[in-house]
Amino acid sequence: MSAPKFTTLGCRLNAYETEAMKELSAAAGLKDAVIVNTCAVTAEAVRKARQEIRKLRRENPDARLIVTGCAAQTEPETFTAMGEVDAVIGNTEKMQADTWRGMAADFIGETESVQVDDIMSVTETAGHLIDGFGTRSRAYVQVQNGCDHRCTFCIIPFGRGNSRSVPAGVVVEQIKRLVGKGYNEVVLTGVDLTSWGADLPAEPKLGDLVMRILKLVPDLARLRISSIDSIEVDENLMQAIATEPRLMPHLHLSLQAGDDMILKRMKRRHLRDDAIAFCEEAKRLRPDMTYGADIIAGFPTETDDMFANSLKLVEECDLTWLHVFPYSPRKGTPAAKMPAVNGNVIKARAAELRAAGDHKVQAHLAAQHGKTHQILMENARMGRTEQFTEVTFDTDQIEGQIVTAQITGTRGTQLTA
């Protein structure tokens, strides 16, 4: 009897939850199972999940195959209908010990094969603590889950439920524990990170949490925050950007578009000038700040001029690391009913955005030559700068340590030291 195998698709939060599921399933004694943690962010993500399930079934003909994650939550019937799948469990159920005890207890049929409850009824985020994952250098801490916003293109709130926050005290204690285990960097993760605290007493903001962590965990060398909504950034977070060197100068922004009409049709809460103003202000406060951003190409009704505004945003916001999504309709979302852009046009626009992003990456790399960086080693030969840029070394370094090194050149999309 072998230990379960896990496959994770999608975001960092999914990867975090896979680690939690490994611990829960091990404690339950689950054997001979394959678990697929799916993503639903695009139609392509769901297609990849189905493809992965078929491949895993071929490779593991006798194992019990369990599907979970956002796609399992939003369209359980898709996976229930697949002959390869033995069980489908929702995003809430996957984080509960009882679910895994049930899966381990009886493979014959006492356990319901579909366990997907109404995610909108969930009011708390499971504070399941894990000791980091991926490398010994960086730990991820889930501080928030779900989303209260209803962007017209997005299925994720239906996979994750409404926004709910992990209390600050729980977060601080977990980070203390991780630092005690030797982690030099912690990344705060969530679905809608800047909404953290809205459901807690006194409604604290993300900036309050960041300041509290930095104050109460003085031995934490580096703190990162993952994807944020710039329009929701509070004064304390701007203060931390300006005054806290341990808060890393890299922000990934949920921008989605650079045209005001498209932003309105997406039901975003910012306009292009808001995004530009935020990026200029954060860079004024922290000159070494770099930005990543999510941008959708070919949203319904997007004209050439509207797309040109998104393309210009790459320069106007000084974006470096782009995540470009060719628009794909998600059933049940308002945007799916809007007039679609031709598929070839979407593909061409996505390629143009990616090319602009590649150009910005090369400019960023060139600007680092000769500079000295504090590099957190992810393995013996590769680490990341404060701005999350990869750096390769010709000699072995100590994994998990922060190394001071001068940048000597560029190799592809990496720096050399």
Side-chain angles (χ1 to χ4, degrees):
M1 298 267 280
S2 61
K5 296 177 185 173
F6 285 83
T7 294
T8 307
L9 304 168
C11 67
R12 282 286 181 193
L13 193 53
N14 252 13
Y16 177 99
E17 289 169 347
T18 291
E19 294 304 308
M21 285 192 284
K22 284 179 184 175
E23 293 182 3
L24 290 166
S25 62
L30 181 65
K31 305 284 184 189
D32 291 336
V34 174
I35 296 97
V36 185
N37 197 4
T38 62
C39 172
V41 71
T42 60
E44 175 67 6
V46 179
R47 189 191 69 77
K48 278 186 179 165
R50 290 166 60 90
Q51 189 179 35
E52 185 69 17
I53 287 162
R54 286 191 283 267
K55 175 169 108 33
L56 288 167
R57 173 50 78 207
R58 287 194 300 274
E59 292 171 356
N60 304 274
D62 301 321
R64 184 169 166 90
L65 202 150
I66 301 164
V67 179
T68 187
C70 286
Q73 181 69 46
T74 56
E75 42 186 288
E77 65 288 343
T78 296
F79 301 99
T80 308
M82 292 182 71
E84 296 87 352
V85 175
D86 295 305
V88 180
I89 59 176
N91 265 337
T92 301
E93 291 77 10
K94 76 181 183 184
M95 301 297 282
Q96 294 171 343
D98 283 352
T99 303
W100 297 101
R101 281 195 287 268
M103 290 285 165
D106 188 348
F107 279 3
I108 298 162
E110 281 183 21
T111 301
E112 289 177 59
S113 63
V114 182
Q115 297 180 54
V116 183
D117 283 344
D118 176 16
I119 195 86
M120 294 303 176
S121 66
V122 179
T123 57
E124 290 184 5
T125 284
H128 192 93
L129 306 183
I130 63 166
D131 292 336
F133 63 89
T135 69
R136 288 295 309 162
S137 56
R138 181 180 297 108
Y140 293 80
V141 174
Q142 181 187 352
V143 303
Q144 184 274 339
N145 204 340
C147 184
D148 290 340
H149 308 301
R150 295 294 180 265
C151 298
T152 58
F153 56 84
C154 188
I155 198 76
I156 295 306
F158 305 98
R160 289 286 178 181
N162 292 317
S163 180
R164 48 217 192 269
S165 311
V166 178
V170 175
V171 175
V172 167
E173 285 309 308
Q174 184 177 5
I175 292 174
K176 282 181 178 174
R177 205 165 59 93
L178 291 164
V179 170
K181 286 175 177 286
Y183 285 95
N184 275 317
E185 184 173 297
V186 164
V187 186
L188 303 182
T189 67
V191 173
D192 181 29
L193 201 56
T194 26
S195 71
W196 179 87
D199 57 324
L200 296 176
E203 298 184 10
K205 303 283 190 189
L206 181 63
D208 303 323
L209 178 65
V210 166
M211 290 294 225
R212 190 162 169 183
I213 291 165
L214 291 167
K215 181 182 176 185
L216 297 179
V217 196
D219 293 338
L220 173 63
R222 293 162 56 141
L223 180 67
R224 283 191 192 278
I225 48 180
S226 58
S227 184
I228 62 166
D229 206 336
S230 58
I231 199 69
E232 291 185 324
V233 169
D234 59 283
E235 278 181 35
N236 266 353
L237 188 51
M238 295 307 280
Q239 175 81 359
I241 288 168
T243 62
E244 289 286 357
R246 291 185 294 146
L247 179 62
M248 293 295 96
H250 170 256
L251 295 171
H252 190 83
L253 308 175
S254 177
L255 296 180
Q256 311 306 348
D259 180 82
D260 285 346
M261 181 56 75
I262 291 297
L263 287 164
K264 284 178 180 175
R265 287 173 181 161
M266 287 177 164
K267 222 171 167 187
R268 300 293 294 161
R269 293 166 307 290
H270 72 274
L271 298 174
R272 66 176 286 115
D273 285 351
D274 298 323
I276 294 165
F278 171 81
C279 290
E280 286 176 348
E281 177 62 6
K283 203 140 203 166
R284 185 186 71 77
L285 297 172
R286 190 77 177 267
D288 58 346
M289 180 66 75
T290 59
Y291 303 113
D294 295 330
I295 300 185
I296 294 172
F299 185 81
T301 76
E302 184 183 71
T303 63
D304 287 343
D305 287 346
M306 290 170 178
F307 170 69
N309 283 333
S310 285
L311 194 58
K312 280 190 289 191
L313 200 69
V314 177
E315 286 298 336
E316 289 166 330
C317 284
D318 197 15
L319 307 175
T320 301
W321 316 105
L322 295 190
H323 285 183
V324 177
F325 296 89
Y327 174 76
S328 67
R330 304 300 287 115
K331 188 180 168 189
T333 60
K337 296 174 184 166
M338 296 179 189
V341 175
N342 176 280
N344 289 330
V345 172
I346 293 175
K347 214 176 275 186
R349 288 177 183 171
E352 213 173 328
L353 276 168
R354 288 190 182 114
D358 292 344
H359 175 74
K360 293 292 285 186
V361 168
Q362 291 305 318
H364 169 71
L365 296 176
Q368 307 313 308
H369 290 196
K371 288 187 177 176
T372 298
H373 279 285
Q374 301 290 312
I375 299 156
L376 179 70
M377 299 307 300
E378 294 189 1
N379 56 50
R381 295 291 178 101
M382 194 279 284
R384 289 187 191 261
T385 68
E386 303 90 337
Q387 292 93 353
F388 214 59
T389 312
E390 290 188 358
V391 185
T392 57
F393 289 74
D394 290 332
T395 55
D396 285 357
Q397 309 295 318
I398 301 171
E399 185 181 324
Q401 294 302 299
I402 295 172
V403 175
T404 303
Q406 188 176 39
I407 302 304
T408 56
T410 303
R411 190 179 294 139
T413 58
Q414 295 176 316
L415 296 168
T416 55

